[in-house]
């Protein structure tokens, strides 16, 4: 059987994006009160869409770890740690819990239409982001040309996640109108970008080493 990995990876991406669009559509139906259970909302913690997001994050970690073993490049392991943190943060609410601690300890005050809790959460995310990107940056200098190129692509994708997860989230809180719209853009955007990351690391990990 002639197995074309690039063709199969493209099909995989289409399936991921179709699933994302289905969750987004179901969320819209939920906001129209045609569905009563909040588990169908993409904004709901431990809702169906969020669990689907956890699964994607888990496989990103696994695929990057396998790639690190196959290619013997620590840069892929460092990226797997970053996505492991994202998975743990989403599922265990790390930045919310530690953010609350920082708010109480340092007595953060609300400003710019943002809550004190928002500044606490942002501080936690910046702290872990600094640690993880420091490791990634150090690994970058010991990587091959292709591994550096892949890392640049992953960096762009992670910054895209941060755009929706941080910047749009802040707009969602600060702007008093269009709450449902901002929530949809934030969580829907994160879902779509994460699917692209899954596809990218899958294609990267299983394509021939001489090419990737």
């Amino acid at each position: 059987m002639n197995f074309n990995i690039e063709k199969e990876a493209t099909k995989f991406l289409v399936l991921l994006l179709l699933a994302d669009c289905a969750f987004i559509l179901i969320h819209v139906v939920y906001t129209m009160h045609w569905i009563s259970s909040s588990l169908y909302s993409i904004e709901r913690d431990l809702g169906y869409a969020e669990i689907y997001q956890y699964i994607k994050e888990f496989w990103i970690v696994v695929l990057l770890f396998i790639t690190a073993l196959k290619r013997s490049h620590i840069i892929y392991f460092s990226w797997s740690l970053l996505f492991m943190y994202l998975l743990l943060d989403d599922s265990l609410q790390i930045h919310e819990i530690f953010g609350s601690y920082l708010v109480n300890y340092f007595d953060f005050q609300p400003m710019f239409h943002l809550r004190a809790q928002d500044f606490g959460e942002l501080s936690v995310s910046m702290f872990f982001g600094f640690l993880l990107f420091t490791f990634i940056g150090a690994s970058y200098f010991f990587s091959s040309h292709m591994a550096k190129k892949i890392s640049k692509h992953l960096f762009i994708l992670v910054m895209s996640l941060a755009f929706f997860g941080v910047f749009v989230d802040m707009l969602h809180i600060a702007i008093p109108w269009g709450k449902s719209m901002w929530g949809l853009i934030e969580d829907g955007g994160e879902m779509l970008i994460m699917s692209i990351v899954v596809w990218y690391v899958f294609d990267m990990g299983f394509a021939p080493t001489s090419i990737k």
Side-chain angles (χ1 to χ4, degrees):
M1 181 176 65
N2 184 18
F3 184 73
N4 188 327
I5 186 64
E6 292 187 2
K7 182 178 178 181
E8 296 304 318
T10 301
K11 290 180 181 179
F12 182 44
L13 175 61
V14 171
L15 289 173
L16 288 168
L17 295 177
L18 285 175
D20 291 331
C21 291
F23 279 114
I24 291 170
L25 179 60
I26 292 171
H27 171 80
V28 172
V29 172
Y30 165 77
T31 60
M32 297 173 68
H33 305 291
W34 293 356
I35 299 176
S36 59
S37 176
S38 62
L39 290 172
Y40 292 98
S41 172
I42 62 174
E43 298 182 67
R44 165 70 185 270
D45 291 337
L46 295 179
Y48 298 132
E50 186 163 298
I51 291 174
Y52 173 58
Q53 195 79 331
Y54 297 163
I55 294 171
K56 287 189 286 186
E57 291 169 342
F58 171 79
W59 281 110
I60 291 170
V61 173
V62 171
L63 290 168
L64 284 170
F65 185 74
I66 291 173
T67 304
L69 295 177
K70 286 174 59 179
R71 309 280 173 83
S72 299
H73 279 305
I74 195 172
I75 186 70
Y76 300 120
F77 176 69
S78 63
W79 278 110
S80 73
L81 290 182
L82 184 141
F83 283 97
M84 173 64 77
Y85 168 75
L86 293 180
L87 172 58
L88 294 176
D89 184 49
D90 286 343
S91 58
L92 301 179
Q93 299 183 323
I94 293 174
H95 72 282
E96 288 94 341
I97 294 172
F98 284 98
S100 297
Y101 173 79
L102 291 180
V103 168
N104 294 326
Y105 188 82
F106 292 105
D107 193 27
F108 288 168
Q109 298 299 316
M111 62 179 72
F112 309 121
H113 301 290
L114 295 173
R115 306 164 301 172
Q117 175 69 21
D118 299 320
F119 290 104
E121 293 178 7
L122 183 60
S123 299
V124 173
S125 296
M126 290 177 64
F127 172 75
F128 282 105
F130 174 78
L131 290 181
L132 291 163
F133 276 112
T134 297
F135 184 31
I136 291 170
S139 304
Y140 181 86
F141 291 103
F142 300 97
S143 301
S144 66
H145 173 74
M146 187 54 65
K148 289 179 178 179
K149 182 178 179 180
I150 290 170
S151 291
K152 290 176 183 177
H153 295 163
L154 288 174
F155 180 78
I156 292 171
L157 290 169
V158 170
M159 289 301 101
S160 300
L161 279 173
F163 171 79
F164 289 104
V166 178
F167 180 71
V168 176
D169 182 45
M170 294 297 178
L171 292 179
H172 184 196
I173 295 167
I175 297 177
W177 50 266
K179 294 294 185 181
S180 296
M181 178 192 71
W182 291 116
L184 178 60
I185 293 173
E186 175 195 348
D187 292 296
E190 285 183 333
M191 291 186 71
L192 294 170
I193 295 298
M194 197 66 77
S195 288
I196 295 173
V197 178
V198 176
W199 161 75
Y200 185 77
V201 296
F202 172 78
D203 187 39
M204 171 193 78
F206 288 90
T209 306
S210 59
I211 297 176
K212 296 293 185 179

